């Protein structure tokens, strides 16, 4: 079995809190492909690195 990188996943609620947006906005970003996410059952998890990258982009490029 290959070693997985140390990836930390955040819930949609955690991402919304970090980005200071609503959960609906996070869902929109995920569905638009602007924020990568993995689906676990009925919920989504977003890699912490993707949130960090999104927060570092100029505001006009996000959402």
């Amino acid at each position: 079995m290959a070693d997985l990188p140390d990836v930390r996943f955040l819930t949609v609620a955690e991402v919304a809190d970090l980005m200071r947006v609503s959960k609906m906005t996070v869902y929109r970003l995920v569905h638009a492909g602007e924020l990568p996410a993995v689906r676990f059952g009925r919920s989504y998890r977003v890699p912490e690195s993707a949130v960090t990258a999104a927060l570092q982009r100029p505001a006009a490029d996000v959402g």
Side-chain angles (χ1 to χ4, degrees), residues 1-61:
M1 185 169 144
D3 289 334
L4 290 174
D6 188 21
V7 179
R8 184 163 175 251
F9 289 96
L10 303 173
T11 64
V12 169
E14 290 170 327
V15 174
D17 192 45
L18 281 172
M19 296 180 81
R20 303 221 193 288
V21 296
S22 70
K23 289 192 289 184
M24 199 70 211
T25 299
V26 176
Y27 283 117
R28 283 192 199 105
L29 291 170
V30 167
H31 289 295
E34 295 180 36
L35 195 60
V38 178
R39 190 159 185 183
F40 289 102
R42 294 178 58 201
S43 62
Y44 286 93
R45 296 292 185 271
V46 181
E48 188 175 39
S49 57
V51 177
T52 303
L55 291 172
Q56 291 173 345
R57 275 186 254 146
D61 292 349

